[in-house]
Amino acid sequence: MLTEIDHIGIAVPSLDDAVELYRATLGLAPLHAEKIESQGVREVLFKVGSSYVQLLEPLGPDTPVGRFIERRGPGLHHVGYRVEDVTASLAELKERGVRLVDEVPRIGSMGNTIAFAHPEAFGGVLVELVEAR
Ligand code: CO
């Protein structure tokens, strides 16, 4: 079902500070920046090999990432796995009794089709499925 790690999502209070940190320490240059209103975030992507690091800054405290930072502090927020077909993968997970956040796929970063499975199903790790456009 999974073909690669697509990205690691990291919750940060300040995108500007985090971008500067990743630039200064790891020499990474931002590849893509986007505001995703439907998820309540601004994001910056860095490319590492064929995967991405996705920095996520909440648009406000009352957003999923805002609440995450409030509850658990900044840090690793989710793992994004690449799949060939999100709809088919969701159906498989559902069949296996995995609790889902999204019953149907939605459009995420860079126009990709995505869906989230609930962290309760994966030992506290929020899992995102990503079908590249
Ligand atoms: Co993501």
Side-chain angles (χ1 to χ4, degrees):
M1 178 163 82
L2 312 177
T3 59
E4 279 187 275
I5 302 282
D6 184 83
H7 66 276
I8 304 293
I10 298 171
V12 302
S14 161
L15 209 44
D16 290 344
D17 289 352
V19 165
E20 174 52 22
L21 175 72
Y22 278 68
R23 187 201 60 73
T25 57
L26 298 171
L28 290 173
L31 181 83
H32 177 82
E34 186 175 340
K35 188 178 186 179
I36 310 170
E37 295 273 5
S38 64
Q39 290 176 40
V41 293
R42 284 203 307 140
E43 70 155 24
V44 164
L45 293 179
F46 301 107
K47 193 153 197 197
V48 181
S50 58
S51 305
Y52 299 91
V53 173
Q54 178 187 45
L55 301 180
L56 300 162
E57 179 195 271
L59 293 178
D62 197 24
T63 59
V65 174
R67 287 189 291 271
F68 177 91
I69 290 176
E70 176 67 33
R71 243 184 10 251
R72 297 170 67 165
L76 185 59
H77 181 259
H78 66 274
V79 176
Y81 294 103
R82 215 166 289 156
V83 299
E84 267 161 31
D85 184 333
V86 170
T87 305
S89 299
L90 276 181
E92 275 184 57
L93 290 180
K94 204 170 179 181
E95 203 177 289
R96 293 171 194 164
V98 172
R99 184 173 167 195
L100 304 174
V101 173
D102 297 310
E103 294 281 332
V104 291
R106 49 178 152 138
I107 300 303
S109 167
M110 297 200 294
N112 292 329
T113 303
I114 63 152
F116 286 96
H118 201 278
E120 269 180 16
F122 294 102
V125 179
L126 178 63
V127 166
E128 178 180 359
L129 303 174
V130 182
E131 178 185 329
R133 59 185 290 218

